[in-house]
Amino acid sequence: MASAELLLVSQAMAHDPQHPSPPDLGPDPVLAGFRKSIDNIDAALIHMLAERFRITQAVGEYKAKATLPPADPDREARQIARLRKLSEEADLDPEFSEKFLRFIIDEVIRHHERAAAG
Amino acid sequence: MASAELLLVSQAMAHDPQHPSPPDLGPDPVLAGFRKSIDNIDAALIHMLAERFRITQAVGEYKAKATLPPADPDREARQIARLRKLSEEADLDPEFSEKFLRFIIDEVIRHHERAAAG
């Protein structure tokens, strides 16, 4: 087969649903759709987290002014129990939700330490 | 001062905005309001994450079926750059957003490993 013919066959196969394009022939539309959803969710997560840190910053300032203790282990235990329950309902690993809350609280503590040092 | 008088003075002070209640006299309404907002945001975050993991699970299954490689370093670099930019706009530490995406991706990898082992 001449190389021009080979090119035509390869172009025809690229548009044939029975012969889906290999990944190097262009973006996969199914994968691109999934990724669009992931990107939308990530943008929502970032904005939710930004708002959460705005509130925890206000909490830190308020606790300092009202001379309330910075940490509250009872509150933290209630938060963990609640998020584990919500996770189960949403079919998310409850262990992950606890790890996630710990990850966020560690960042809040870092913010408070930075604010105290600044 | 008699103990009954002391009790009355203490009750009056508890309702005087010039003399805010010490923390052991009952829940602080300002703090309770902040915490309600944090709890609402956390519930939203958990549900967003549950949906994100549903999609990455579908991506894993699709990639396996379409014999696409499981990891895509270029995609990951684009995601990090995008989230850092979004974070800056939302007044969130861009370093944190990168750490957050890494935390989520590590969990996705754990899910895929578990699925492959099961």
Side-chain angles (χ1 to χ4, degrees):
Chain A
M1 205 184 281
S3 71
E5 270 173 347
L6 199 64
L7 183 68
L8 283 172
V9 168
S10 130
Q11 282 172 341
M13 278 176 71
H15 295 280
D16 181 353
Q18 294 298 307
H19 298 90
S21 319
D24 58 328
L25 281 191
D28 182 308
V30 176
L31 190 58
F34 283 138
R35 287 178 167 179
K36 186 73 203 157
S37 293
I38 291 171
D39 286 347
N40 283 342
I41 289 174
D42 283 350
L45 286 168
I46 289 295
H47 286 94
M48 286 277 172
L49 286 167
E51 183 58 19
R52 196 189 193 283
F53 289 127
R54 272 170 49 82
I55 300 171
T56 49
Q57 192 187 333
V59 168
E61 286 161 11
Y62 178 73
K63 280 184 168 180
K65 217 176 71 181
T67 60
L68 290 166
D72 184 341
D74 283 353
R75 155 78 175 158
E76 220 171 277
R78 283 194 305 274
Q79 280 175 290
I80 286 171
R82 179 176 172 267
L83 291 194
R84 288 185 74 103
K85 193 169 172 295
L86 281 176
S87 297
E88 277 170 29
E89 287 163 9
D91 233 358
L92 185 72
D93 179 8
E95 293 299 315
F96 172 76
S97 72
E98 185 167 343
K99 220 163 44 175
F100 175 71
L101 186 66
R102 174 53 50 203
F103 177 80
I104 299 297
I105 290 176
D106 285 351
E107 185 69 16
V108 170
I109 292 169
R110 247 190 306 279
H111 286 191
H112 288 175
E113 283 169 353
R114 216 182 307 158
Chain B
M1 205 186 280
S3 72
E5 271 175 348
L6 198 63
L7 182 68
L8 283 173
V9 168
S10 130
Q11 283 173 341
M13 278 177 70
H15 295 280
D16 181 352
Q18 294 297 307
H19 299 89
S21 320
D24 58 328
L25 281 191
D28 181 309
V30 176
L31 190 58
F34 283 137
R35 286 177 168 179
K36 186 74 204 156
S37 292
I38 290 170
D39 286 347
N40 283 342
I41 290 173
D42 284 349
L45 287 168
I46 289 295
H47 286 94
M48 286 275 172
L49 285 166
E51 182 58 18
R52 196 189 192 283
F53 289 127
R54 271 170 49 82
I55 300 171
T56 49
Q57 193 186 331
V59 168
E61 287 162 10
Y62 178 74
K63 281 184 167 179
K65 219 177 68 180
T67 60
L68 291 165
D72 185 340
D74 284 353
R75 154 80 174 157
E76 221 171 275
R78 284 194 304 273
Q79 280 176 290
I80 287 171
R82 178 174 173 266
L83 292 193
R84 288 186 74 104
K85 194 168 171 295
L86 281 176
S87 297
E88 276 168 30
E89 288 162 9
D91 231 358
L92 185 72
D93 179 8
E95 292 299 315
F96 171 77
S97 72
E98 185 166 345
K99 220 163 44 177
F100 174 71
L101 186 65
R102 174 53 49 203
F103 177 80
I104 300 297
I105 289 176
D106 285 351
E107 185 68 16
V108 170
I109 292 170
R110 248 191 304 280
H111 287 192
H112 287 176
E113 284 169 353
R114 218 182 305 159

